[in-house]
Amino acid sequence: MTDQQPLNADEILDVVDENDQVVGQAPRGETYARRMRTRCAFVLARDAEDRIFVHRRTPHKLVFPSHYDMFVGGVVGAGESYDAAALREAEEELGVQGLTPPEPLFKFLYETAEHTWWSAVYQVRCTLPVAPQESEIDWYAFLPEEELIRRLDEWPWTPDGMAAYRRLLELRETGAA
């Protein structure tokens, strides 16, 4: 894990085009303010009983404050690979060290009027005791997937996490995941 500030608007990110090719770099705060396309890693973390780690983001997050998410993860730093970001972010947000590298599942382009980022989706098994980052996570629990699905219409979810989760469910239905 790193000592990096999780809410650092000055962190430098790669800016990418519609084909996920790096075209420049800019501070995180500027990429959000100017809707510049960046990269993000999403990691679905399951415990030994196959429950999914679900959490509520702190109200201080730059994007989607106080929303629930079924993924841990975050931005891919400048020059960092998706795989490295997925492992780093999972360990940081879960508060663990020594996770096996998350398994890549799929990539997709998340785009709305406010945001755009290439998103790499992973899964990982976490059998270690978690100690989530208080600066990033207000509440957490490992939920059975059936309960998570019941909560989809009840709780305010991060739109990008919801988009990734719905794609994952669709891929499962078609046998592609």
Side-chain angles (χ1 to χ4, degrees):
M1 295 194 302
T2 69
D3 294 326
Q4 169 188 340
Q5 284 288 358
L7 304 176
N8 187 353
D10 296 324
E11 177 185 10
I12 301 299
L13 306 180
D14 286 334
V15 177
V16 296
D17 65 14
E18 65 278 359
N19 298 309
D20 197 18
Q21 300 301 307
V22 176
V23 295
Q25 294 182 334
R28 181 197 300 223
E30 181 181 346
T31 67
Y32 292 165
R34 295 183 48 210
R35 196 183 175 271
M36 301 167 84
R37 187 176 293 118
T38 57
R39 292 175 168 160
C40 191
F42 294 77
V43 183
L44 190 76
R46 293 181 183 269
D47 69 4
E49 287 99 48
D50 213 32
R51 297 173 301 179
I52 298 172
F53 182 82
V54 175
H55 65 281
R56 185 178 58 239
R57 298 161 61 89
T58 64
H60 308 292
K61 297 289 285 184
L62 289 174
V63 177
F64 312 132
S66 300
H67 282 68
Y68 289 84
D69 204 341
M70 65 286 288
F71 294 96
V72 294
V75 297
V76 177
E80 187 176 32
S81 70
Y82 283 108
D83 291 350
L87 179 59
R88 174 182 55 76
E89 288 283 350
E91 287 187 336
E92 284 177 3
E93 288 193 22
L94 294 170
V96 300
Q97 291 185 353
L99 279 180
T100 57
E103 173 192 355
L105 300 175
F106 61 92
K107 261 177 62 175
F108 74 102
L109 178 59
Y110 175 76
E111 285 196 292
T112 66
E114 299 85 22
H115 306 288
T116 178
W117 42 77
W118 273 100
S119 308
V121 180
Y122 294 79
Q123 65 183 1
V124 72
R125 179 80 53 193
C126 180
T127 57
L128 304 165
V130 298
Q133 215 172 17
E134 290 180 13
S135 61
E136 302 240 352
I137 295 174
D138 265 351
W139 170 92
Y140 71 93
F142 280 95
L143 299 180
E145 191 152 16
E146 301 77 31
E147 182 176 348
L148 165 60
I149 290 170
R150 279 196 314 273
R151 303 287 186 181
L152 292 180
D153 294 327
E154 297 175 12
W155 293 349
W157 295 91
T158 60
D160 59 343
M162 183 66 89
Y165 189 66
R166 292 211 185 278
R167 285 179 188 257
L168 178 60
L169 293 177
E170 289 169 11
L171 290 171
R172 279 191 202 149
E173 284 181 18
T174 63

